[in-house]
Amino acid sequence: MTPNNRANFGSKLGAILAAAGSAVGLGNIWRFPYETGEHGGAAFILVYIGCVLLFGVPIMIAEFSIGRRSRANTARAYQILAPSTPWRWVGRMGVLTGFLILGYYVVVSGWTLEFIMEAATNSFAGKSADEFIASFSQFTANPWRPIVWAVVFMLATHFIVVKGVEKGIEKSAKIMMPMLFILLLVLAGCAVALPNAGAGLEFLLKPDFSKVNGSVLLGAMGQAFFSLSIGMGCLCTYASYFKDDTNLPKTAFSVAVIDTSVAVLAGIIIFPAAFSVGIQPDMGPSLLFVTLPNVFQQAFGSLPWLAVILSVMFYILLALAALTSTISLHEVATAYLHEEFNLTRNKAAWIVTIGCTILGVFCSLSLGIGKEYTIAGLTLFDLFDFVTAKIMLPLGGFFIAIFTGWYLDKRIVWEEFSNRGTLKVGLYRLLIFLLKFIAPIGIAFIFINELGWL
Ligand code: PFF
């Protein structure tokens, strides 16, 4: 426990892994490939990497600094660092964003449990690509099954969050992250060996810049914020549990490298496989779930037992990657309710669990019986995704950059970046420049360009 009696991550590696555990999740393996597919491939990836470097890493370091300096939940953090100012609304908006993301994220997390079952019962065997597509849309449109899985997933998240920071979050991240990475490497090797895989690799690696428009920029920026878990105070909350000697710039950079590698690896699995079996890369959120079973089938068709083992392992690891992210989303709102409203952690966690489960039920139904009810042409599921990833997170990031770059006393920023002068931070000036100018102007430009407002 730290002097003010809050919990702590036990080790430096634990801090990196917990933050990476939050960042690496469905955003990398499910969302990144379909956003890349919808936005034309390689050029999107380059814009994405640009967003990670110019906005992502500096804003992550800023969030870490705010969290560790204040040692409080994200809303209180602003109250401590900027008392009696409207800055606390940035923290509150973050809590709301996390709540909404968890509402639909848990639905997709639930799908991974269905796929563990399907893989374990060998039900991928003998299906064609079209059959995978049909059975997936039948499953997501079912009014019960996906909801039951989402509830199971929400409860698992709940109990880990209630168990506390070190035991729950750190331990699960330490074991599953390296395993997931190794399995992804194996699958990438299998995918590129499929017939016609070259076309998929070309799609992924050969940029066509004529395709870059406002929607590509907004998509890449939103994906960077979503994937890195920044813009809503999630990593700010985690950093409030960091130790005083955790190296913030190094941790942020490591998380960004791990996160981006996993996303690109997922692309190297999905696109060769999609092109190999004739699945359209721009088919949207179902891409991962209809493409991957083909990889297991085609690559290991002659060794069905191996196909079963590897596919079960993959979906378990995918579920665990999602779990370390749902835990972090849940923790933001739980820490807020617990510390701001004097509720026990248990009570605070139940409020979040029940609230997000209700949102999840509506999001899941919006893919089936509620399909007709749309807002601005989007189902509730798509609307939550659009509003949170493409608007609320970048907006949160915009304010975090301004807060750290302009408002916060530079002495505080320097002390946090350099652990009170004990670390050499060679890029300090560059980071401040990015936070002061490049991130806010870049985010505003992309908003104005695509959404026509601000
Ligand atoms: N970064 C997670 C992913 O890529 O799956 C999702 C996420 C977690 C977004 C936590 C935002 C957040 F605060």
Side-chain angles (χ1 to χ4, degrees):
M1 293 270 170
T2 48
N4 66 359
N5 238 14
R6 291 177 90 248
N8 225 318
F9 285 120
S11 65
K12 277 183 221 165
L13 182 65
I16 296 181
L17 284 178
S22 165
V24 174
L26 296 170
N28 309 61
I29 298 168
W30 161 71
R31 198 174 187 283
F32 177 82
Y34 86 71
E35 282 282 318
T36 304
E38 281 181 345
H39 291 115
F44 173 88
I45 297 183
L46 289 180
V47 178
Y48 172 79
I49 292 174
C51 290
V52 168
L53 292 174
L54 295 179
F55 313 154
V57 174
I59 290 174
M60 196 186 294
I61 302 175
E63 275 200 36
F64 282 164
S65 306
I66 296 167
R68 186 174 64 179
R69 184 70 175 201
S70 59
R71 297 235 174 261
N73 69 77
T74 181
R76 172 82 60 90
Y78 291 92
Q79 253 149 293
I80 292 173
L81 297 175
S84 315
T85 63
W87 282 109
R88 63 181 179 282
W89 285 99
V90 177
R92 289 179 182 163
M93 182 177 83
V95 175
L96 176 67
T97 311
F99 201 77
L100 297 179
I101 294 180
L102 188 54
Y104 77 90
Y105 196 94
V106 77
V107 174
V108 185
S109 305
W111 298 349
T112 65
L113 300 181
E114 166 81 11
F115 273 69
I116 295 175
M117 294 285 286
E118 289 198 16
T121 50
N122 201 15
S123 36
F124 299 147
K127 275 191 189 156
S128 68
D130 286 341
E131 284 169 330
F132 283 128
I133 295 175
S135 75
F136 181 73
S137 62
Q138 238 172 32
F139 161 67
T140 51
N142 183 302
W144 290 109
R145 269 180 97 85
I147 290 178
V148 171
W149 287 128
V151 171
V152 170
F153 210 95
M154 201 67 217
L155 289 176
T157 307
H158 173 92
F159 288 113
I160 297 181
V161 168
V162 170
K163 243 178 115 190
V165 176
E166 187 181 341
K167 276 194 209 127
I169 301 172
E170 194 177 332
K171 280 213 178 113
S172 36
K174 252 184 197 163
I175 305 165
M176 52 82 23
M177 294 280 300
M179 275 177 71
L180 177 68
F181 201 78
I182 293 169
L183 195 63
L184 285 173
L185 279 175
V186 172
L187 291 179
C190 297
V192 296
L194 292 175
N196 201 27
L201 282 178
E202 190 169 312
F203 179 79
L204 200 63
L205 301 174
K206 216 168 156 193
D208 173 2
F209 287 106
S210 65
K211 287 187 182 148
V212 177
N213 55 20
S215 137
V216 170
L217 293 176
L218 186 68
M221 174 170 78
Q223 176 60 25
F225 278 85
F226 186 89
S227 188
L228 295 171
S229 303
I230 54 173
M232 53 156 275
C234 174
L235 295 181
C236 169
T237 305
Y238 267 24
S240 72
Y241 310 120
F242 282 3
K243 294 187 159 182
D244 287 336
D245 63 352
T246 302
N247 182 333
L248 302 186
K250 200 168 149 197
T251 305
F253 201 73
S254 314
V255 171
V257 169
I258 296 172
D259 191 69
T260 307
S261 321
V262 173
V264 172
L265 256 183
I268 297 177
I269 299 170
I270 303 299
F271 291 107
F275 278 80
S276 177
V277 290
I279 286 175
Q280 292 303 319
D282 60 353
M283 74 181 308
S286 54
L287 184 65
L288 168 77
F289 290 93
V290 300
T291 307
L292 212 73
N294 284 292
V295 179
F296 294 115
Q297 271 246 87
Q298 301 232 342
F300 307 103
S302 53
L303 296 167
W305 57 271
L306 190 59
V308 170
I309 292 176
L310 285 182
S311 52
V312 170
M313 260 175 75
F314 176 81
Y315 289 111
I316 289 178
L317 289 171
L318 185 62
L320 289 174
L323 187 62
T324 47
S325 300
T326 53
I327 290 167
S328 71
L329 287 160
H330 198 296
E331 176 65 26
V332 173
T334 301
Y336 171 71
L337 293 177
H338 168 54
E339 292 176 9
E340 296 307 292
F341 297 94
N342 260 337
L343 300 171
T344 61
R345 252 187 89 83
N346 197 22
K347 239 192 212 149
W350 272 118
I351 294 175
V352 179
T353 299
I354 293 170
C356 288
T357 304
I358 294 171
L359 288 185
V361 168
F362 283 109
C363 282
S364 184
L365 291 177
S366 81
L367 297 174
I369 54 175
K371 229 184 201 144
E372 271 84 74
Y373 302 101
T374 58
I375 300 170
L378 299 172
T379 62
L380 198 63
F381 181 95
D382 292 334
L383 185 75
F384 273 30
D385 181 75
F386 183 87
V387 170
T388 53
K390 293 188 179 165
I391 297 177
M392 292 173 89
L393 292 180
L395 200 59
F398 174 86
F399 287 120
I400 291 166
I402 303 244
F403 181 74
T404 318
W406 292 96
Y407 180 86
L408 205 55
D409 186 341
K410 285 296 148 309
R411 196 177 40 85
I412 295 183
V413 179
W414 163 251
E415 283 180 3
E416 288 305 317
F417 278 31
S418 69
N419 288 356
R420 296 177 196 267
T422 56
L423 300 173
K424 265 179 78 181
V425 187
L427 298 176
Y428 177 73
R429 274 170 203 279
L430 174 65
L431 285 169
I432 294 295
F433 179 73
L434 292 173
L435 283 172
K436 262 190 154 159
F437 300 105
I438 302 297
I441 294 172
I443 296 168
F445 170 80
I446 293 175
F447 271 154
I448 294 167
N449 195 15
E450 179 59 8
L451 302 171
W453 52 276
L454 273 187

